């Protein structure tokens, strides 16, 4: 098993209705705490929605009533892990808690959830951090008389999700990219 970090993307489609939002506000934080408490957890993006943001506190988003025009909505929640083993252990060791929590959402789930994960092979991106972490990071570099590190603020984050396949017979050509 590889020791590279991974990104696990929990994907689902849920019913676009006020009750779904209420359920997310009750259950979501409990699932997040259970996940984030596990060793090997490195970080997460709580919720990404595709299209208009109907569950971002403004039910409907683009029209007064979008029951028919934006139903269901797709949701992605990604977590970052030290390695595959840490991610799999979290699911195994917390199965009961997560099953009970997620079971309370079944009436709003249309499709999914499924959770593919992707191994980070190589990255030259700067660390992503919150505004509150910047003073500590900069202070440490100044104290150690090192150059100021590159910093990417989470508000400036872009996410692109796409499948990557290697055609049969071209495996060697694909590996030369890394």
């Amino acid at each position: 098993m590889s020791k590279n970090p991974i990104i696990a993307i929990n994907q689902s489609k849920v019913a676009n209705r006020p009750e779904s939002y209420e359920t997310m506000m009750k259950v979501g934080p409990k699932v997040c705490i259970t996940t984030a408490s596990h060793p090997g957890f490195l970080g997460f993006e709580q919720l990404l929605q595709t299209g208009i943001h109907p569950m971002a506190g403004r039910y409907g988003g683009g029209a007064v009533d979008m029951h028919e025009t934006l139903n269901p909505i797709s949701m992605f929640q990604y977590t970052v892990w030290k390695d595959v083993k840490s991610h799999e252990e979290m699911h195994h060791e917390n199965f009961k808690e997560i099953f009970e929590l997620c079971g309370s959402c079944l009436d709003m789930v249309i499709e999914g959830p499924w959770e593919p994960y992707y191994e980070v092979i190589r990255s030259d991106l700067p660390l992503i951090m919150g505004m509150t972490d910047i003073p500590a990071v900069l202070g440490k570099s100044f104290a150690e008389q090192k150059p100021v590190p590159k910093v990417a603020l989470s508000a400036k984050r872009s996410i692109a999700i796409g499948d990557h396949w290697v055609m049969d017979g071209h495996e060697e050509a694909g590996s030369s990219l890394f």
Side-chain angles (χ1 to χ4, degrees), residues 132-149:
T132 56
D133 298 327
I134 292 173
V137 171
L138 293 178
K140 182 179 179 194
S141 66
F142 291 142
E144 296 174 355
Q145 297 183 346
K146 292 184 177 177
V148 175

Side-chain angles (χ1 to χ4, degrees), residues 57-132:
R58 300 180 316 256
Y59 176 73
V64 174
D65 182 357
M66 296 180 75
H67 279 87
E68 301 300 323
T69 58
L70 189 60
N71 206 2
I73 58 172
S74 297
M75 294 182 6
F76 298 153
Q77 293 180 289
Y78 73 81
T79 53
V80 183
W81 296 86
K82 180 179 79 173
D83 52 29
V84 173
K85 184 176 182 238
S86 299
H87 175 260
E88 296 304 309
E89 280 178 351
M90 185 282 299
H91 280 288
H92 180 74
E93 292 172 12
N94 297 297
F95 179 80
K96 182 179 179 226
E97 293 85 357
I98 290 178
F99 183 81
E100 287 175 5
L101 289 167
C102 294
S104 63
C105 297
L106 291 178
D107 66 334
M108 67 187 237
V109 176
I110 308 282
E111 196 175 288
W114 52 92
E115 190 175 39
Y117 55 82
Y118 302 89
E119 180 180 9
V120 177
I121 303 293
R122 178 176 58 101
S123 174
D124 62 356
L125 298 172
L127 292 175
I128 295 176
M129 63 184 69
M131 289 294 289
T132 56

Side-chain angles (χ1 to χ4, degrees), residues 4-58:
N4 289 332
I6 65 158
I7 297 172
I9 305 174
N10 188 294
Q11 303 172 353
S12 64
K13 289 187 180 178
V14 299
N16 177 24
R17 55 182 195 238
E19 302 84 48
S20 298
Y21 178 78
E22 292 166 13
T23 301
M24 291 283 293
M25 294 299 105
K26 283 192 293 189
V27 176
K30 294 174 185 173
V31 174
C32 289
I33 289 169
T34 302
T35 302
S37 299
H38 193 79
F41 174 81
L42 299 177
F44 71 102
E45 176 62 46
Q46 182 179 346
L47 178 62
L48 300 171
Q49 297 168 346
T50 59
I52 297 172
H53 295 273
M55 291 174 64
R58 300 180 316 256

